[in-house]
Amino acid sequence: MEYIKNRFYEKASKCINEYNKLKRDHGDKVIANVTIGQVMTGMKGVPSLITDTSKLDPQEGIRFRGYSIPELREKLPRLNPEGEPLPEGLFYLLLIGEIPSQEDVMNLSKDWSTRSHVPQHVYDVIDAMPKNAKPMTQFSAAITAMATESLFQKAYRSGIGKKHYWDFIYDDVMNLIAKLPRVAAYIYRRNFHNGDHIEPNRKLDWAGNLAHMMGHDSEEVKRLLRLYMVIHSDHEGGNVSAHATHLVGSALSNPYYSFAAGMLGLAGPLHGYANQDVIHWIFDMLDELDTDNPSKEQLADYVKKTLEEGRVIPGYGHAVLRKTDPRFTAQQEFADKYIKNDKLVNIVNNLYEVVPPILGDIGKIQNPWPNVDAYSGALLYHYGIKEYTFYTVLFGVSRALGVLASLIMDRVYGLPIERPSSFELKWYIEKATGQSGSCI
Ligand code: CMX
């Protein structure tokens, strides 16, 4: 599928010139000051990364190469007029910056299908782990084990020059993305369906095949997973999974290592683990209240109790967003259209009314509104994917599209190894007050 690679490089080579010119002519230009507060709140708002694939506006939410989620649902190619856009099209957009034609998307889908073979030793690595190893433990180990396939690693050892790195990274990325549904489905069937594995159907698209290999072959699940894979793919460069992938890639670690690092970050409760935590937290609540249909008053009391225990409300809040996440809204619209009278979906909708005012009243929480993770579990659960410890793996499969498209761009630009400065606490205290602190 060389024509996609060629089309990508034709566009990307213009960016290299602009990158080099900016570095050469404007390297001394000051673009921001950094406050102590920013250092102490996770470097929020410090411009320090180049990410072209998507941009997150605090009020409006994510735009992928300039397109909002509603625009993408309208413009990206799909298999039928009623369906959701194909993630292949979203990846093409992230990589090349153009809405692809139907033919481009079908070609990419075929390309990924031909690259999707997973070597036996990867399955052996998964099978060597105890069944109670968390799905994300198995997923990240499998991705690391696939590094034996890295073309970039081999080419680097053979002495290729820096300007050719992107070429091998590109093929590693395509191969890795192509294999992820098989790996994810393998873990799912191993853990939850007695290792009764299902072979891929080469005629299906990337997300459709994932649904098929998981054993959820209905059109409804395929449609849901296509939407899911599109909306979870990218959230600009500073989130933990994107930043970790980019950071590890800056050491020229191969894409398998880089992405495995990103997945280990996604597995954290403040990031992608929140999608399973939401369902876990709701089920704990239903157990405690001994009902499957809690009133809004009961929900409010349970939210307050969770906060009093010093815990976070999973699925709510965001480091950048200051409004309801449009990824939440896209899933709510999907539920409104296709799902009637589902108890879990109703609870998630009621929580949307109950939680924000309670979080808002606390004062310190910057964003009381729901994020993507507040809704996704209820949809998966409705369609029979009830094994919620697996949900973060699905997030991970999707996240590959964004962070790995960016990784190719990183090597196109030839970005250097990343190395911000660190100082002792007392250095900051001295900067702020002129006095030295008493900390060790
Ligand atoms: N429930 C309770 N407290 C919350 C909260 C929530 N949902 N969101 C933020 N807070 C608290 C923070 O823990 C912090 O408390 P301390 O000052 O005591 O440490 C305070 O409010 C200020 O935090 P913030 O500036 O509003 O938010 P951060 O940028 O620090 O954190 C996030 C953002 C997402 C980690 C946080 O909102 C959170 O923990 N949410 C719940 C977990 C979750 O849904 N994560 C998924 C995010 C989306 C994704 O990456 O998948």
Side-chain angles (χ1 to χ4, degrees):
M1 209 42 62
E2 285 298 295
Y3 89 88
I4 294 183
K5 192 192 229 179
N6 293 340
R7 199 179 293 176
F8 162 70
Y9 193 66
E10 194 188 310
K11 295 207 84 182
S13 52
K14 294 188 187 123
C15 306
I16 307 177
N17 294 337
E18 288 181 2
Y19 174 85
N20 288 335
K21 193 166 181 311
L22 186 68
K23 194 171 155 192
R24 188 185 64 229
D25 299 345
H26 302 284
D28 294 333
K29 175 102 181 156
V30 176
I31 50 167
N33 295 313
V34 179
T35 65
I36 296 277
Q38 285 177 306
V39 173
M40 303 195 87
T41 51
M43 297 178 285
K44 302 231 176 71
V46 180
S48 47
L49 297 165
I50 300 173
T51 306
D52 295 324
T53 48
S54 66
K55 182 71 193 136
L56 182 55
D57 180 88
Q59 302 299 326
E60 198 201 28
I62 192 70
R63 278 186 180 265
F64 303 97
R65 291 280 187 185
Y67 293 97
S68 67
I69 288 175
E71 285 166 353
L72 287 186
R73 287 178 87 187
E74 197 195 308
K75 290 182 195 303
L76 281 179
R78 55 190 86 206
L79 285 179
N80 60 63
E82 271 300 291
E84 292 291 333
L86 292 167
E88 288 89 332
L90 190 267
F91 180 77
Y92 185 105
L93 172 70
L94 294 179
L95 192 67
I96 301 185
E98 289 167 3
I99 298 282
S101 67
Q102 189 82 22
E103 194 191 353
D104 291 330
V105 168
M106 298 327 285
N107 283 339
L108 185 53
S109 203
K110 248 186 253 154
D111 182 38
W112 284 353
S113 174
T114 57
R115 294 172 185 261
S116 66
H117 173 75
V118 174
Q120 182 56 42
H121 75 269
V122 176
Y123 298 129
D124 295 342
V125 165
I126 296 171
D127 287 338
M129 273 187 264
K131 286 266 178 60
N132 63 2
K134 295 271 182 286
M136 281 301 277
T137 308
Q138 300 181 46
F139 190 54
S140 53
I143 294 162
T144 308
M146 280 196 285
T148 50
E149 307 303 289
S150 175
L151 300 170
F152 171 71
Q153 198 162 280
K154 288 192 193 89
Y156 188 85
R157 296 277 173 274
S158 76
I160 49 153
K162 187 173 176 180
K163 68 174 194 290
H164 301 296
Y165 291 171
W166 76 269
D167 197 337
F168 296 90
I169 296 280
Y170 177 98
D171 279 305
D172 274 357
V173 163
M174 292 300 207
N175 290 338
L176 174 50
I177 291 175
K179 294 174 198 320
L180 287 175
R182 289 207 76 177
V183 171
Y186 189 88
I187 295 167
Y188 180 76
R189 299 294 298 182
R190 172 178 189 256
N191 267 44
F192 308 114
H193 294 273
N194 299 319
D196 180 12
H197 298 294
I198 299 171
E199 284 299 304
N201 175 349
R202 301 268 174 219
K203 291 194 187 123
L204 286 172
D205 56 294
W206 186 73
N209 225 334
L210 173 59
H212 162 74
M213 288 185 286
M214 286 173 67
H216 294 277
D217 226 348
S218 69
E219 278 314 306
E220 285 82 3
V221 175
K222 289 183 186 125
R223 179 171 55 204
L224 173 64
L225 284 192
R226 287 174 195 131
L227 173 69
Y228 187 104
M229 293 294 142
V230 166
I231 64 175
H232 286 79
S233 60
D234 208 26
H235 223 217
E236 72 170 43
N239 67 78
V240 171
S241 51
H243 193 184
T245 305
H246 161 81
L247 171 66
V248 173
S250 84
L252 297 186
S253 301
N254 66 59
Y256 298 88
Y257 290 171
S258 308
F259 184 60
M263 289 302 93
L264 292 171
L266 189 75
L270 299 188
H271 194 12
Y273 179 89
N275 68 3
Q276 44 179 295
D277 217 9
V278 166
I279 301 301
H280 192 169
W281 176 77
I282 291 176
F283 284 161
D284 278 355
M285 170 174 68
L286 299 183
D287 268 357
E288 195 169 311
L289 301 176
D290 199 18
T291 174
D292 59 1
N293 191 17
S295 65
K296 288 184 189 160
E297 290 70 32
Q298 285 176 304
L299 292 178
D301 287 345
Y302 196 79
V303 169
K304 287 178 192 155
K305 177 174 169 280
T306 303
L307 292 168
E308 277 158 20
E309 287 165 356
R311 296 160 59 199
V312 296
I313 308 301
Y316 281 77
H318 200 273
V320 179
L321 279 168
R322 296 296 175 255
K323 281 259 171 78
T324 296
D325 190 335
R327 300 172 299 175
F328 175 95
T329 309
Q331 294 178 97
Q332 194 176 41
E333 283 169 9
F334 185 95
D336 286 350
K337 188 165 173 193
Y338 295 114
I339 300 175
K340 301 280 169 267
N341 293 326
D342 179 289
K343 284 191 173 146
L344 191 54
V345 169
N346 291 344
I347 291 170
V348 166
N349 283 333
N350 286 340
L351 283 168
Y352 184 30
E353 285 180 39
V354 165
V355 175
I358 298 175
L359 294 186
D361 280 350
I362 296 176
K364 69 173 180 178
I365 298 171
Q366 302 297 318
N367 179 38
W369 302 104
N371 59 58
V372 66
D373 300 315
Y375 224 104
S376 57
L379 293 180
L380 293 167
Y381 202 92
H382 171 82
Y383 287 110
I385 305 174
K386 298 189 171 177
E387 304 83 0
Y388 55 82
T389 58
F390 184 74
Y391 291 173
T392 313
V393 173
L394 290 176
F395 193 157
V397 174
S398 165
R399 190 41 64 100
L401 302 177
V403 302
L404 292 174
S406 281
L407 194 69
I408 302 174
M409 282 310 289
D410 291 353
R411 297 291 76 79
V412 165
Y413 289 136
L415 296 184
I417 189 161
E418 203 163 273
R419 184 55 165 95
S421 296
S422 69
F423 296 92
E424 306 96 319
L425 179 66
K426 63 184 171 207
W427 184 89
Y428 291 100
I429 294 173
E430 262 172 45
K431 279 272 165 199
T433 66
Q435 324 242 303
S436 54
S438 57
C439 179
I440 46 162

